[in-house]
Structure formats: C-alpha cells, structure tokens
Amino acid sequence: MAEYNAMKEVVNILDYVGENLTYKGESFYSMCTDFCQINEPVRQYYNGLAMKQQNLSDVGSRFQLTFPMMQVLGKELDLSPNFFGVRTNEDGQVEYVKIIMLQIRANIPKNWKKEDAAEYERMISQFFHFKYNSTYVTPLAMSLTYTGDEVVRTGLTIFPFIGVGFAIMTTFSIITIYYSSSRLDQWTIHKVSEAVLGCVCPLLATSSALGTLFWFGFRFGTILCVTPFLILAIGVDDAYLQIHACMRLTAEDSSMTKREKIARMLVEVGPSIAITSMTNLLAFLVGIYTPTPEISLFCAGNAVAILFDFIYQVTMYTAILSICENLEMRKNATKRKDSDLSFKNEQFTVMLDSYCDWVANAYTHLLVLFCFIVYLLVSIRGALNINIILSPDKLVIGDSPLLQVNYLRDTFVLPNYTTVNIFVQNPGNLTIESNLNYMNSLMESFESYPECLGKKFSHYFVRDYESFRESSLEELEMLEDEEGEPLNNQTVLEPFSKKAMSDFLAWPEFQHWNGFVKFDENGMLSRFWATVSYHGEGLGDFQIRRKMLNRWRATADQFAPLNVSIFDDYAPFVDTLETILPATISTSVCTLLCMMVVCFLFMYNVFTVFVATLAITSICIGVFGFLSMWGIDLDPISMACTIMSIGFSVDFPAHITFHYFREGLHDPQSTPAKRVARSLAAIGFPLLQCGISTILFVLCLLFVPTYMGEVFVKTMILVVTLGLIHGLFIVPAFLCAFTSIHETFFSSTKVKNSQSFSSLAKLFSWRISPSTSDNKISA
C-alpha cells in the first residue's frame, strides 16, 4: 500500500466517497463538519509520494515520509490511526504498508432520520463490496449497519433449509412407519398422511408462535431462525408416540372402537407428551430471564412455539389420527378379523427379553455405575475447561467480508493502535486550577499504562487549547505594546466557555475539537470526550482486551466526581460474557428444579423422579463437557443451545421412567425386567425414530457455513446420542437397581406397598370401560 499507484487509488476512493456517493443530495464532504480532515495524513502522504515520483529536488525539505509521525512543511502529522502493518528502514522512512484505514465520520444532517443514516452506510458498503472495480487495492467497507445486515443475512440463509429438513424428516417418517406398521400388518396409504402431517403440525406451531410474538411487538432476531428446526424435532417425537400407540392398541384388540382407541392412546402417551412439553416450556420460560437479549428472545420464541405444538398435538393431530383410523378400520375390517396378530408375539421378542434380563442383572448395575462415574468425570473436566469467548466472526456466514475485516483488525490494527474512548460527563469549572489539575491527572493515569503509545498520540483538547491560549495571549501583549493601551476585553471571559473557545474551535487546525466538547445552555463546558492510544502484540486477543477493558474501568472509577465512562468497540461482547457463566449455571439449576417438580406431579415416586432428574442432569453435563472438547466456546449462542439441550434431554429419560412407573402401578408384582421390557416395547422404537430423524434433520444446517448452525448441530447430536444411551440403557439399569434395592431392604412392607400401588393406580390411571350404551371413559 506504500507504493504510488496504490496510494493514488486510496486518495481517489476518499474523494469518490466524499463527492460522488450521495444520499438525499448529501455527500460526505457536504455534511461533515468536525471530522472533514480526519483522513488528511493519508492525503499528505500521497502528496509526498507524488513529489517523489516527479523527482522534485525540494521534496525532502517539504515532506518527511516517516512513521508514525510524518512531517509536512515542519508540521507533524500522525499516521498511526491510518497506517497498519508498517515496515520502515533505518531512518524511519516507510517501506511497506499492509493496510490503510479511512474513517468516514460526519454529523447526521438535520433533515435525516436514523434510518437515513443507516441507508447511507449501507450504500457505501454495498458499493465497495459489489460495484467498485479496483486495480491496485481491495477496499473493505465496515459499519454498524453493514454488520447488522450481515448477521440478518446469515440467519435468513439458514431459513430456506427448513424445506430440505422437512423433506428429510417426512421421508424418514414414512419409511420407519411403513416398517413398523408392516410388521404389525397394519400398513395402509393413510399412514403416509399420518407421517407427513406429524411433521406439518410443529411447523404450524412455529408459525403461529412467531406470528403471535410479532403481533405483540417482539422484534425479529436471526437466532429465531433455529426455532423451526427445534420445534420440528420435538413435535415429531410426540407424533411418533401417538402413531405407535394406536398401532399397538390395534394389535392388542382389533375389535376396539375408534373412540376407545383414541382415548386409550391419549391415556398411554398423553402424560409422556405433557411431561416433555411442560418441562421444555419451563426450560425456555426460565431462559427468558437471562440478561442477554438474544437468548431471552430465543427462549421466548421457543416457549410459545412449544405451547402451540402441545395444543396442536392433542387437538388437531389427534383429530387427524381419528380420521385416518376411521378410514383404516373401514378398509381393513375383514383383514384384521383373519389376522388377529398378538401384541405379545409381535413385540416381546426373545432379544428384548434377553436384553432386559441383562439390564436387570446386578453385575450389569455395577458395570453401568462404573461407566457412569467415568463419563461424569470426563464431562465435568471438559466443562471446567470451556473457554468464554465471543467474537463478531461467530455471528456471520462463512463468505461474509466481515470475516476478513475482523481478521485484519485483530491481526494488524488492534495490536498497533488500540484506543480507549473516555467520556467525562461532569468536568466541573476548569477555570479553577485544582479542577484542571484533577482533570489532567485523569488523562495522565490512562497514559501511565506500559502499553500507552505516549501523550502525543492522545486526543485531549485541553493541551491544544492551552497552547492556543498562550499564543493568543502573546499576540495580545504584542498588540498592547504596539498600541499602548490594554486589551482586557478578550481576557475577562471564562477560559472554558463557548464564547472564549469560539476562536479556537473555528481555527482550521483545531476544528475537529468541535466533535469532542459539549456546552450547556449557559455556554459553559459540560461534557467532553478524549482518547488515549495503546499498542501491544496481545491486544488482538479477546481475553487480553477483556482484561484491558476492566483496567480502564478501574481507572475511571478512581475519578468518580468526574462521572467518567469508558467505551470500547468490544465492550458489548465483554459485558455479555461477564454474565454468561453465572447466568448459564443459575438458569440450568432453576430449569432442573422445575423439571423435577413436573416429573413429581406425574410420577409421584421418589426413586423414579430421582432417576429421571439424575439422567437429565447427566445428559446436560455431558452435552456441556463434550461441546467444550468438540471446540465450542461458551457464548450466547452455545448458552442458548445449552438451555435448549436441557429441555430436549427430558424427552428420553422422561418417557422410559414414566412408562416404568405406570407398569408398576398396573402390575405391582411384576419384576423389574418385565417392567423394562414392557416400557421399551411401548416407546423404544419411537425413541429411536425420534433420535435418528432429529440427527438427519439438523445435519442439513451444515450446508450453511455458520457458527450458529455448527453449534446447533453439535448440540443436537450430543443430546440425541446421550439421550438414547440414557433412555435405552442407563436409566433402565438404574430403575432396576433401585427397585431391587427397595425390594431387598423393604421386603417386609412389600404387601403394603402393593396395596398402596393399587390404590394409586385407581387414582392415577385412566381405564377404558366399554359401556353397553355409549362407551364412556371412566376413571
């Protein structure tokens, strides 16, 4: 960039932006007031190169092209805010420049609104990224508006893949339902409708939820683009349970009426659906109160969507199943009379019985306990080593120009020129010397850092103003000597009043200070802004920047009477991360407690609730720990996924524990192995369906190279994998172990407990009692 042709194009870009890129008739040069000359060092450096190019003899006396300070006609100009990646020779002459940064900073015209300023920034970014034909340089335009646009574009890029995921989910559903219904000799074309509409209901719930939120004034956030994927994964699980319950009931009793079958189906799977829906709902309701706005919005969207999905599942989708069952019963009435397939012969295979006997074995319990402890230790170790990092790179798609901008900034700009913006909101009367000295000590404190570039790289208006006043007073004294009479009218003004500083602020050399000072209605200085510059190899690293920001704030707190505030571009990210770890822990604990209460409402057995809660906690710890080992940092996106995983992890242990509990109510004398076998026969295949379909569904997010999609996919893979392991292996083993322990140590009360279970069953379970009149359901 230090070559003549490159510098010439840079100056041409500067002039083109200043004159030709207009919005509502305004260009940069027409609306800039205080910062029109902010890029003047770049222009003067080019002038020096141009004179060298022409081999003018007096170029050395006019221009000294050194870094960081160049000289123009004896005046020093600071190149450090504009030149980065600089290499100089022994004399300090610039030999190489990697990056030149231009700042387009201006006051918004009075007739413009906030949206107009955003459109102006967007126009500049789009011009250089899509229209400008460069010859020697690669221009990259970055602004807050463009950053927001890229974040929105990233989310909208994910959205179209809902169609791909829906196609994958429906195809998988049709294939698996065809397999299971064919084994029961219940396949009809109407099963296709059940499979497809089971995937449609969650999408309808998502659209209803998001529409409701937007209707009530909630804003759109790109993280809401993940909501349809999540709700579809949860809702399809409930549809699988309902479909398989209907098929199982038909296999048990083919003479059952449609009314009885739908009622029995809701009796069997309704509580499981209610448990998972309520726990998911509570998980996201708790997440709404997290301090990060995006996570709060994400949790609100998911909570409302889960509520709609539950309503649609037990009303609309149940009605759809009723219609399909009616059509199937009409078509296959004769076939089923001849088939009379036995539920026991179809489902309780030798393999399932052998597996459940193995799970109920005491040696298996010891093996499971050992593996479980090792798993927890590995997961906890991974969770403790997780990094807390958030950078803008995580918010945009892989082809975004912002990635290159951030790389150049972190690699070349920040290590060489990092500025802190110091806002003094109560400077007091600086005419009083003690107040002025106190103010100067504030700046000296920030300039005393080892990383500070030095006073001459700071922007503090008092120093230039004092030099200007000294020169003005010398001129006044000279005029007094020449004219022989005093000119005191210029010195009676308050030095730091608007009137006294008017000449200073109007001087071309000091005109930029207008953007640094504010006056009250009395014309006295009320606020000002100053900057101090730093350098250091580690300042491009997020953790070091985080420590530096805390040091700046600590220094500002030492001058409380001045009401000092610190601003840094990274401050919003740092402030967010400061709350993420405690918010994640508190949210997780509250969510687990809520889940425990919900489980107890449906499964009023201490051992069963304990196993379910332990399994949910174990899955969450595993997800958190393995995400860390998989290269995922703790940030708002992974925190949102963690909350999501807590809610989603309930599905697997809740189904198996509830069915195990229900089997104990219906048959208190049954062995643990028999209860596990019946439970797995009821929900084992639907759980496998749900797990595999969810993984296949979320994999379509990998077509879009985004961090958000990567975290979501990894989280869902871990949740499903660990959930299936817990639901089909660990939880059954623990349930059998606790049941055996209970029977061993409380055998004397076994008869009493059996009676207790029977009485609870009468209160809890709904039983179908066919009546000769209207087939009513009685409790």
Side-chain angles (χ1 to χ4, degrees):
M1 294 299 300
E3 295 177 353
Y4 172 76
N5 290 327
M7 287 300 305
K8 182 178 180 180
E9 188 168 351
V10 169
V11 174
N12 290 338
I13 288 174
L14 180 60
D15 290 335
Y16 193 89
V17 173
E19 298 173 356
N20 298 91
L21 292 181
T22 60
Y23 181 77
K24 287 189 174 183
E26 297 282 358
S27 66
F28 172 62
Y29 286 157
S30 66
M31 62 183 170
C32 73
T33 54
D34 305 329
F35 299 102
C36 293
Q37 305 298 320
I38 194 170
N39 300 303
E40 189 63 18
V42 177
R43 187 182 300 277
Q44 294 301 330
Y45 186 89
Y46 165 70
N47 291 337
L49 280 182
M51 293 184 68
K52 274 190 173 182
Q53 190 78 4
Q54 297 174 12
N55 295 320
L56 298 179
S57 58
D58 58 345
V59 63
S61 61
R62 296 185 181 184
F63 292 91
Q64 293 289 331
L65 303 182
T66 55
F67 183 85
M69 291 290 184
M70 67 171 290
Q71 290 191 0
V72 181
L73 301 175
K75 178 178 175 54
E76 288 188 335
L77 293 179
D78 184 11
L79 291 173
S80 55
N82 304 100
F83 283 24
F84 300 96
V86 180
R87 185 172 66 245
T88 60
N89 58 20
E90 296 178 356
D91 299 327
Q93 298 286 328
V94 175
E95 290 184 341
Y96 177 85
V97 178
K98 175 69 176 178
I99 303 166
I100 293 179
M101 187 168 70
L102 304 176
Q103 294 189 50
I104 310 302
R105 179 174 296 187
N107 297 330
I108 299 178
K110 292 182 179 179
N111 61 336
W112 278 21
K113 298 179 180 179
K114 183 180 179 181
E115 292 76 14
D116 294 322
E119 283 299 323
Y120 177 75
E121 292 182 352
R122 186 175 292 116
M123 175 190 67
I124 294 178
S125 299
Q126 291 178 350
F127 173 78
F128 285 109
H129 291 153
F130 304 110
K131 299 179 181 179
Y132 182 78
N133 295 319
S134 60
T135 305
Y136 297 99
V137 302
T138 303
L140 296 168
M142 180 181 179
S143 64
L144 185 61
T145 301
Y146 181 70
T147 302
D149 290 345
E150 285 297 287
V151 174
V152 172
R153 183 173 74 92
T154 299
L156 296 180
T157 305
I158 295 175
F159 217 68
F161 286 91
I162 294 176
V164 179
F166 179 79
I168 294 174
M169 186 73 84
T170 52
T171 303
F172 181 84
S173 299
I174 293 171
I175 293 173
T176 52
I177 290 175
Y178 169 78
Y179 170 77
S180 57
S181 61
S182 298
R183 287 178 61 84
L184 293 172
D185 198 20
Q186 296 182 24
W187 169 256
T188 66
I189 193 63
H190 303 296
K191 286 288 189 289
V192 176
S193 301
E194 295 177 5
V196 174
L197 293 175
C199 300
V200 171
C201 280
L203 293 182
L204 291 178
T206 304
S207 57
S208 301
L210 296 181
T212 303
L213 289 176
F214 298 152
W215 188 36
F216 280 99
F218 282 75
R219 64 180 176 84
F220 171 77
T222 54
I223 199 169
L224 289 177
C225 295
V226 177
T227 299
F229 294 89
L230 174 63
I231 304 304
L232 185 55
I234 294 175
V236 168
D237 180 23
D238 298 335
Y240 288 156
L241 288 174
Q242 291 177 282
I243 293 172
H244 283 277
C246 287
M247 290 193 297
R248 188 170 63 253
L249 292 170
T250 301
E252 285 181 344
D253 185 1
S254 60
S255 63
M256 190 180 300
T257 65
K258 179 187 70 174
R259 179 187 179 90
E260 293 172 346
K261 187 185 300 182
I262 296 299
R264 284 279 301 274
M265 180 271 292
L266 289 176
V267 168
E268 290 198 7
V269 302
S272 292
I273 295 175
I275 291 174
T276 56
S277 298
M278 288 182 64
T279 50
N280 280 314
L281 177 64
L282 287 173
F284 289 113
L285 286 178
V286 173
I288 292 175
Y289 297 97
T290 56
T292 306
E294 287 300 306
I295 297 178
S296 179
L297 179 65
F298 176 71
C299 292
N302 290 338
V304 178
I306 287 171
L307 179 61
F308 272 101
D309 181 61
F310 175 71
I311 295 172
Y312 288 171
Q313 288 291 339
V314 298
T315 56
M316 181 172 63
Y317 191 68
T318 302
I320 292 171
L321 287 179
S322 176
I323 294 172
C324 292
E325 286 295 322
N326 188 47
L327 296 173
E328 290 176 1
M329 291 172 70
R330 291 179 182 179
K331 183 178 181 180
N332 298 330
T334 306
K335 180 180 178 181
R336 288 187 179 167
K337 286 181 181 178
D338 297 336
S339 299
D340 193 24
L341 294 175
S342 171
F343 172 76
K344 182 175 180 179
N345 292 336
E346 179 66 27
Q347 293 291 334
F348 287 97
T349 61
V350 176
M351 183 181 297
L352 180 61
D353 288 334
S354 301
Y355 173 75
C356 293
D357 290 337
W358 179 77
V359 167
N361 189 279
Y363 293 103
T364 304
H365 299 162
L366 294 176
L367 175 64
V368 171
L369 180 62
F370 173 76
C371 295
F372 186 71
I373 292 174
V374 173
Y375 155 78
L376 285 180
L377 291 176
V378 173
S379 301
I380 292 173
R381 181 179 180 182
L384 293 176
N385 293 329
I386 195 168
N387 296 317
I388 306 177
I389 297 176
L390 175 62
S391 66
D393 296 357
K394 296 181 178 181
L395 306 177
V396 296
I397 197 168
D399 62 352
S400 173
L402 283 180
L403 296 178
Q404 186 178 2
V405 172
N406 290 329
Y407 166 75
L408 295 173
R409 180 184 179 183
D410 293 342
T411 307
F412 298 99
V413 177
L414 295 179
N416 293 285
Y417 193 80
T418 294
T419 60
V420 56
N421 299 280
I422 306 165
F423 292 88
V424 179
Q425 301 173 74
N426 185 29
N429 187 359
L430 297 184
T431 306
I432 302 174
E433 186 176 358
S434 59
N435 291 350
L436 183 59
N437 291 335
Y438 188 60
M439 185 67 63
N440 291 334
S441 64
L442 167 70
M443 296 300 299
E444 291 169 358
S445 298
F446 281 97
E447 292 168 344
S448 64
Y449 285 34
E451 300 90 347
C452 182
L453 284 169
K455 289 185 177 181
K456 64 180 180 180
F457 296 96
S458 301
H459 291 86
Y460 179 40
F461 82 98
V462 172
R463 291 167 182 162
D464 280 351
Y465 182 50
E466 288 181 337
S467 300
F468 180 82
R469 287 191 67 215
E470 290 177 2
S471 301
S472 299
L473 290 174
E474 290 178 1
E475 291 180 4
L476 286 174
E477 291 175 359
M478 291 176 62
L479 289 174
E480 287 179 0
D481 293 339
E482 292 177 1
E483 299 183 8
E485 51 185 53
L487 300 173
N488 293 329
N489 58 331
Q490 297 292 329
T491 58
V492 290
L493 297 174
E494 289 281 349
F496 289 93
S497 64
K498 186 175 184 179
K499 191 171 183 180
M501 296 179 66
S502 59
D503 291 340
F504 168 71
L505 296 175
W507 199 264
E509 187 178 345
F510 304 123
Q511 194 174 9
H512 63 280
W513 290 120
N514 283 283
F516 287 80
V517 294
K518 293 289 182 182
F519 299 93
D520 58 21
E521 61 274 6
N522 298 320
M524 298 302 296
L525 181 69
S526 61
R527 292 172 293 164
F528 74 89
W529 160 43
T531 67
V532 179
S533 302
Y534 302 87
H535 71 107
E537 292 183 2
L539 288 177
D541 181 79
F542 185 85
Q543 297 296 342
I544 295 178
R545 296 268 301 177
R546 182 181 176 185
K547 295 177 182 177
M548 181 67 82
L549 179 60
N550 291 329
R551 288 169 61 191
W552 289 334
R553 288 174 170 169
T555 302
D557 291 341
Q558 297 174 9
F559 297 86
L562 298 177
N563 191 9
V564 182
S565 297
I566 300 300
F567 177 78
D568 179 69
D569 291 340
Y570 270 70
F573 298 103
V574 174
D575 291 337
T576 298
L577 292 182
E578 291 289 346
T579 62
I580 277 187
L581 185 59
T584 302
I585 295 174
S586 60
T587 302
S588 302
V589 172
C590 292
T591 304
L592 288 172
L593 290 176
C594 291
M595 291 179 180
M596 185 170 63
V597 172
V598 172
C599 290
F600 191 77
L601 290 175
F602 287 86
M603 301 177 291
Y604 30 84
N605 180 279
V606 176
F607 288 124
T608 309
V609 173
F610 173 75
V611 171
T613 307
L614 179 64
I616 297 168
T617 307
S618 169
I619 294 172
C620 296
I621 294 175
V623 170
F624 202 65
F626 285 108
L627 276 178
S628 173
M629 290 185 281
W630 208 348
I632 301 299
D633 304 316
L634 181 59
D635 50 53
I637 297 175
S638 59
M639 180 185 175
C641 289
T642 301
I643 297 174
M644 175 196 70
S645 68
I646 296 174
F648 198 77
S649 64
V650 179
D651 292 17
F652 302 95
H655 288 310
I656 184 67
T657 51
F658 172 76
H659 280 78
Y660 186 87
F661 170 73
R662 192 189 64 178
E663 292 298 329
L665 289 177
H666 290 316
D667 186 7
Q669 303 300 326
S670 61
T671 63
K674 197 70 171 177
R675 290 163 67 179
V676 169
R678 290 175 177 173
S679 300
L680 291 179
I683 52 91
F685 189 73
L687 282 184
L688 285 173
Q689 264 187 309
C690 172
I692 298 173
S693 64
T694 299
I695 291 177
L696 292 175
F697 174 55
V698 299
L699 285 178
C700 66
L701 289 175
L702 296 180
F703 289 114
V704 184
T706 62
Y707 176 79
M708 181 168 60
E710 177 189 355
V711 175
F712 185 75
V713 170
K714 289 181 177 180
T715 303
M716 294 303 291
I717 290 176
L718 287 174
V719 170
V720 170
T721 304
L722 295 176
L724 287 176
I725 293 174
H726 280 74
L728 301 179
F729 176 57
I730 296 178
V731 171
F734 277 8
L735 289 172
C736 292
F738 280 118
T739 304
S740 300
I741 293 172
H742 182 269
E743 291 177 350
T744 301
F745 291 97
F746 301 96
S747 57
S748 60
T749 60
K750 190 171 183 180
V751 176
K752 184 177 179 181
N753 288 338
S754 299
Q755 296 173 354
S756 172
F757 266 97
S758 299
S759 61
L760 288 174
K762 291 178 181 179
L763 291 173
F764 178 79
S765 62
W766 292 79
R767 300 183 181 277
I768 308 299
S769 300
S771 173
T772 56
S773 57
D774 56 358
N775 291 333
K776 291 183 178 178
I777 303 173
S778 60

